[in-house]
Amino acid sequence: MLDIHLLRTDLIKVLNGLSSRGFQPTEDLKKLMEERGSIRINTQKLEETRNKTAHNVGRLRSAGYDMSDKEIISLLDQTKKIPKQLKDAKKKLGNIENKLNQLLDVIPNLPHDTVPKDGKNKEVRHWGTEKTSGSFSFPVKDHVTIGEGLGLLDFRTATKLSGARFSLMVGELARLHRALAQFMLDTHTQEHGYTETYVPYLVNAESLHGTGQLPKFEEDLFKIPRKKCESEESKTDKGLQEENWYLIPTSEVPLTNCARNEIVSLESLPIKLTTLTPCFRSEAGSYGKDTRGLVRQHQFEKVELVQLVHPLKSYEALEQLVGHAEKILQKLELPYRVMLLHTGDMGFSATMTYDIEVWLPAQNTYREVSSCSNCEAFQARRMKARFRNEKGKPELLHTLNGSGLAVGRCLIAILENYQNADGSVSIPEVLRPYMGGIDRLKHREK
RNA sequence: GGAGAGAUGGCCGAGUGGUCGAAGGCGCUCCCCUGCUAAGGGAGUAUAGGCGCAAAACGCUUAUCGAGGGUUCGAAUCCCUCUCUCUCCGCCA
């Protein structure tokens, strides 16, 4: 959510910033805000009158007056009609505030000034040397051919179990997948100072609202209805409306929401959290896209990095966070590049995003394995995540998140980059301790 | 799933219709006193909005006692619904 003060004082700047990422507000924000202002003043005036009279009645009562004394009766005469007026005013105010909030809820964050606006992502740096088909002494295979060839990857069975966009890994490949995740977690906790966390995979709507997935992107999520009451008839009240759980699309949601409605101490900053979780995405609207292999799945594992930091430190923290994610690829000796996303490619909540893309020789291209964003106070404002600043006053935190990394896609990169002529796959040095010392994936003996 | 108890400020805890944004204590901040320390005395100590002021300080004002609704001139207090926590029983990885 954007700062409403900024909207009021510098609407032009906000609209310019938003248009660079292709967002046009559908309603006249300014008019709505003004309307709200005048209705609110009216409402508060009524409340003030009500409070004053009630106060005076109370004073007379404790001074010994009776409810039937004419002093009290005259006060009551003045004020009898206020509750009705107030009720109407509050209803009106509620309506307009809902409308305004609905509007504010779907406005994306403003890009940082340095983010490219030309519609092109900018390569910031790259690491390692790409192995093209020419670098191999044999025809390069893609990860599906490799995995299935070794008898370690089984999409047919996965489809039987669940349908399209699910996968089944068997034997040493499943183990390598687990090893990879463990390795990532160990690196971030032992070398980068993150606190390991175990989080819920089902979260409520409020959490998803906090990080920005709701209300705008509900169709991307898997929703789990929660039974709230037995009888249909008693569902009339607002409080009884259905409440859902959602499968997390990323552990950014539970990790960042840890700070929701909290005021943390200055000394506790920066808060650095990491966790390994499955992520669930409906992939609505991506029909026909990446249908082959492990690239785009309804369920995948990801190690997430989240930082909650002092507002003055958030860009510094973003650079560090990207570095933490890069370190994993370096240790795995996988070539990659870091891209600074342009305004149109950034996620809803971000002011600046770096994607890390790993080299996939079979596709002869780079593929995203991490997306690292600074959200500044955008999420913090939605979720009231604050810290007590140097003056002892509560102030919004800045939140950052990034994958460190997407496990499945990383596994693809290992399979393709480490493939051998005989169809086996070498295991990266750093993962061997996690693999009981074996150095390659071989064909599975039944 | 059944039965019961509860949710108040940073924390503990009082408050069952009226000068209650909320006693008291602890903690914290500032000041005073004591040549150090201990003890003591005084003042202050929520958050988010709106209005005023060029602005800060400040002043006025509104909301907030788990959440939402209701009753009332007036609700922390009464009524309804929900959420969460705790205890006991049952079931269970």
Side-chain angles (χ1 to χ4, degrees):
Chain A
M1 196 152 72
L2 296 176
D3 186 356
I4 191 134
H5 289 106
L6 187 65
L7 281 167
R8 284 181 7 181
T9 53
D10 207 349
L11 191 62
I12 304 297
K13 181 184 168 183
V14 172
L15 292 178
N16 283 340
L18 291 176
S19 73
S20 80
R21 51 188 302 169
F23 182 86
Q24 293 290 332
T26 48
E27 302 236 12
D28 194 338
L29 271 170
K30 196 174 174 190
K31 202 177 138 201
L32 216 49
M33 283 189 292
E34 280 165 3
E35 213 174 323
R36 182 187 67 149
S38 67
I39 294 174
R40 185 158 58 188
I41 286 169
N42 178 38
T43 309
Q44 292 188 354
K45 282 250 162 67
L46 283 169
E47 284 172 333
E48 187 177 345
T49 319
R50 176 202 64 189
N51 289 349
K52 285 213 167 114
T53 326
H55 204 71
N56 287 335
V57 174
R59 185 187 269 166
L60 290 174
R61 290 279 287 153
S62 50
Y65 284 80
D66 193 83
M67 285 308 281
S68 56
D69 286 342
K70 69 175 193 301
E71 286 83 356
I72 288 188
I73 288 184
S74 83
L75 277 175
L76 294 189
D77 281 346
Q78 293 168 36
T79 185
K80 275 269 200 243
K81 58 183 183 302
I82 287 191
K84 169 88 173 66
Q85 291 175 344
L86 196 53
K87 202 170 173 178
D88 292 344
K90 277 187 172 168
K91 195 173 170 187
K92 230 161 117 185
L93 185 61
N95 285 341
I96 198 154
E97 284 191 330
N98 282 342
K99 207 167 160 187
L100 193 61
N101 284 336
Q102 275 171 27
L103 204 59
L104 290 174
D105 269 350
V106 299
I107 298 179
N109 205 352
L110 290 175
H112 190 268
D113 284 341
T114 60
V115 169
K117 296 184 189 69
D118 58 1
K120 279 184 284 191
N121 297 333
K122 185 176 149 200
E123 182 177 310
V124 180
R125 60 182 162 271
H126 62 91
W127 186 94
T129 313
E130 303 95 327
K131 290 168 97 177
T132 55
S133 54
S135 328
F136 292 90
S137 58
F138 52 91
V140 178
K141 292 182 278 191
D142 78 351
H143 72 279
V144 180
T145 312
I146 298 167
E148 288 182 336
L150 292 170
L152 301 175
L153 191 54
D154 182 354
F155 285 107
R156 197 189 68 82
T157 306
T159 306
K160 175 179 75 182
L161 298 176
S162 305
R165 292 202 192 284
F166 287 92
S167 56
L168 182 70
M169 290 179 247
V170 203
E172 296 300 349
L173 185 60
R175 186 179 187 183
L176 183 62
H177 181 261
R178 174 165 58 93
L180 195 49
Q182 300 302 326
F183 159 69
M184 290 175 186
L185 264 183
D186 285 347
T187 304
H188 295 313
T189 54
Q190 289 163 25
E191 295 176 27
H192 299 150
Y194 289 80
T195 304
E196 183 167 352
T197 317
Y198 174 82
V199 299
Y201 303 159
L202 292 171
V203 294
N204 56 31
E206 215 179 327
S207 294
L208 287 154
H209 177 264
T211 32
Q213 283 81 8
L214 287 180
K216 209 172 182 179
F217 307 101
E218 184 170 22
E219 59 174 24
D220 297 334
L221 303 167
F222 287 111
K223 182 156 75 172
I224 315 270
R226 260 179 103 174
K227 203 172 74 172
K228 297 285 277 195
C229 54
E230 287 80 14
S231 64
E232 289 292 318
E233 293 75 41
S234 62
K235 279 188 183 173
T236 44
D237 280 326
K238 252 193 176 172
L240 283 175
Q241 277 176 1
E242 64 172 327
E243 177 166 325
N244 300 298
W245 272 324
Y246 296 84
L247 282 160
I248 53 171
T250 159
S251 37
E252 168 201 349
V253 178
L255 286 182
T256 309
N257 273 281
C258 286
R260 174 153 52 87
N261 293 327
E262 301 292 333
I263 302 175
V264 301
S265 71
L266 187 61
E267 302 80 55
S268 66
L269 301 180
I271 296 172
K272 296 161 76 176
L273 303 173
T274 186
T275 187
L276 164 69
T277 70
C279 303
F280 301 93
R281 300 191 180 174
S282 77
E283 295 299 341
S286 62
Y287 307 109
K289 206 174 174 184
D290 302 318
T291 48
R292 182 174 165 83
L294 291 168
V295 174
R296 193 174 296 275
Q297 302 272 287
H298 287 311
Q299 172 188 324
F300 61 94
E301 303 281 306
K302 183 158 63 70
V303 171
E304 184 74 6
L305 304 173
V306 159
Q307 291 201 28
L308 311 171
V309 306
H310 192 285
L312 295 173
K313 301 270 181 70
S314 64
Y315 283 93
E316 192 183 312
L318 179 61
E319 297 302 321
Q320 287 168 6
L321 192 145
V322 176
H324 296 152
E326 284 179 64
K327 192 75 187 173
I328 299 295
L329 292 175
Q330 291 172 12
K331 286 184 179 237
L332 292 169
E333 300 181 64
L334 292 168
Y336 67 86
R337 64 181 188 184
V338 179
M339 308 294 286
L340 175 61
L341 295 193
H342 70 84
T343 51
D345 255 12
M346 289 198 308
F348 180 74
S349 301
T351 60
M352 187 188 277
T353 300
Y354 290 108
D355 271 9
I356 301 176
E357 300 179 342
V358 72
W359 175 253
L360 298 183
Q363 294 177 37
N364 202 43
T365 184
Y366 284 96
R367 193 79 206 210
E368 177 192 338
V369 284
S370 176
S371 194
C372 304
S373 302
N374 185 0
C375 301
E376 292 192 13
F378 185 85
Q379 295 180 325
R381 190 173 294 112
R382 289 178 156 243
M383 61 174 83
K384 290 194 185 67
R386 296 172 293 177
F387 71 103
R388 213 164 275 285
N389 68 16
E390 293 79 352
K391 289 179 186 159
K393 291 290 163 199
E395 184 179 337
L396 293 171
L397 286 161
H398 279 195
T399 64
L400 300 98
N401 65 80
S403 344
L405 312 157
V407 181
R409 285 191 178 178
C410 227
L411 190 68
I412 297 174
I414 290 173
L415 292 178
E416 296 194 3
N417 282 280
Y418 280 84
Q419 61 183 301
N420 301 311
D422 64 358
S424 71
V425 175
S426 299
I427 292 170
E429 206 67 54
V430 289
L431 296 182
R432 291 182 192 175
Y434 295 89
M435 292 296 288
I438 65 166
D439 62 359
R440 61 178 57 204
L441 299 179
K442 294 183 185 143
H443 191 276
R444 181 169 174 242
E445 313 291 338
K446 285 262 169 143

